Amino acid sequence: MPSRGSPPEDRAGLFSADHSTLHKEDLSSKIKEQKIVVDELSNLKKNRKVYRQQQNSNIFFLADRTEMLSESKNILDELKKEYQEIENSEKTKIKK
């Protein structure tokens, strides 16, 4: 039975555009969260304790503040890099 509306090729293009937009928005919110984490860790007093949550559980372990800060900065850099790659790929698609 023939489908109405746009051809399948057009729908695939819309899906990938929607997916990329959703991924970009998700990255943007993760970047904002990570900026807050870095800021909070940067402003902690030296004698404050930092705890890291065990993945997929409610268990927390004592962690080194400076290590957590450097890890958080690295994660932020990776997220920014990934976001920039998406931005650049969108710009190249627009040029074509």
Side-chain angles (χ1 to χ4, degrees):
M1 184 158 194
S3 66
R4 295 184 178 192
S6 57
E9 300 84 30
D10 291 348
R11 282 182 282 201
L14 288 174
F15 175 74
S16 67
D18 288 343
H19 177 68
S20 124
T21 304
L22 288 174
H23 184 62
K24 189 174 167 184
E25 290 172 1
D26 185 44
L27 273 176
S28 180
S29 67
K30 285 181 181 179
I31 288 171
K32 287 178 187 175
E33 286 177 24
Q34 203 60 33
K35 282 182 179 179
I36 293 169
V37 169
V38 168
D39 190 49
E40 290 291 332
L41 287 170
S42 302
N43 292 320
L44 276 181
K45 294 180 181 178
K46 302 268 185 213
N47 62 348
R48 292 294 189 185
K49 293 183 179 179
V50 175
Y51 293 87
R52 166 181 239 140
Q53 185 174 6
Q54 182 68 26
Q55 214 170 21
N56 300 324
S57 76
N58 290 328
I59 300 172
F60 292 83
F61 293 99
L62 189 60
D64 182 50
R65 186 183 63 85
T66 54
E67 284 180 21
M68 290 296 295
L69 179 59
S70 68
E71 282 180 32
S72 296
K73 285 180 179 179
N74 289 339
I75 291 169
L76 179 60
D77 290 341
E78 289 172 12
L79 289 171
K80 284 181 178 179
K81 182 181 175 185
E82 188 175 347
Y83 186 84
Q84 193 62 42
E85 287 172 356
I86 291 173
E87 287 270 307
N88 292 340
S89 70
E90 286 178 353
K91 287 178 184 176
T92 56
K93 285 180 184 177
I94 291 172
K95 287 180 182 178
K96 290 181 181 180

